[in-house]
C-alpha cells in the first residue's frame, strides 16, 4: 500500500451552487494485479484516509473557516469524494502512473549511462 496526495476543488456546491471548496486528500492506494492465465486482473483500490481543507470560496470571496466549520467541511469533503469517486480515482491513478513511468525511465537512463561508462 502506498500513500499519495490528491489536490482537488469541488465547485458549485452549497444551496445556491455558488461556493467552491479546495482540499487535498491523503489516499492509500493498494495496487491491483495484472492477472494471469488462471486469474482475472484486479483493479487498484483507493481509500480516502484524510482530507485537508485549504479554502472555502463564495462569489463574494473567501469564507473564514472556524474550528467547528472545519470539522463539518471535512465530513462534506468525504461525502463529495464518494459522490465523485470515479473522477478522483482516475485522476489519482493517472498521477501515480505518470510518476512511476518517469521514475522507471530515470532508472533505465541511469543504467544505460552506467553501461556506457558515463
Amino acid at each position: 500500500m502506498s500513500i499519495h496526495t490528491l489536490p482537488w476543488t469541488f465547485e458549485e456546491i452549497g444551496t445556491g451552487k455558488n461556493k467552491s471548496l479546495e482540499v487535498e486528500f491523503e489516499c492509500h492506494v493498494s495496487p491491483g494485479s495484472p492477472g494471469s492465465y488462471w486469474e482475472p486482473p484486479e483493479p487498484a483500490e483507493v481509500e480516502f484516509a484524510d482530507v485537508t481543507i485549504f479554502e472555502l470560496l463564495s462569489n463574494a470571496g473567501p469564507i473564514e473557516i472556524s474550528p467547528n466549520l472545519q470539522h463539518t467541511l471535512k465530513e462534506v469533503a468525504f461525502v463529495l469524494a464518494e459522490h465523485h469517486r470515479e473522477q478522483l480515482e482516475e485522476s489519482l491513478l493517472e498521477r501515480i502512473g505518470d510518476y512511476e513511468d518517469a521514475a522507471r525511465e530515470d532508472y533505465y537512463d541511469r543504467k544505460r549511462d552506467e553501461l556506457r561508462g558515463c
Side-chain angles (χ1 to χ4, degrees):
M1 179 182 307
S2 59
I3 299 174
H4 300 277
T5 59
L6 176 66
W8 198 263
T9 301
F10 295 107
E11 296 179 349
E12 298 181 2
I13 62 173
T15 54
K17 303 285 186 193
N18 62 346
K19 293 178 182 62
S20 65
L21 180 63
E22 291 184 26
V23 300
E24 183 176 74
F25 288 101
E26 178 181 303
C27 305
H28 296 178
V29 180
S30 299
S33 70
S36 68
Y37 182 76
W38 294 277
E39 295 181 16
E42 294 180 16
E45 292 183 23
V46 176
E47 175 188 343
F48 300 109
D50 194 16
V51 64
T52 303
I53 307 296
F54 287 118
E55 195 168 38
L56 177 63
L57 298 168
S58 71
N59 290 344
I63 298 172
E64 187 174 332
I65 301 173
S66 68
N68 292 340
L69 184 58
Q70 180 84 10
H71 178 71
T72 304
L73 287 176
K74 282 186 175 191
E75 290 177 3
V76 167
F78 280 122
V79 169
L80 289 170
E82 288 303 319
H83 188 263
H84 298 281
R85 178 174 274 283
E86 189 174 311
Q87 293 170 313
L88 291 166
E89 284 181 354
E90 182 179 336
S91 178
L92 178 64
L93 294 175
E94 282 178 4
R95 289 183 64 198
I96 292 171
D98 291 344
Y99 171 76
E100 289 174 351
D101 289 344
R104 188 177 307 113
E105 288 177 22
D106 283 346
Y107 171 79
Y108 286 123
D109 286 345
R110 281 195 316 272
K111 287 297 182 184
R112 278 192 287 274
D113 288 345
E114 288 173 8
L115 289 173
R116 291 185 200 140
C118 298

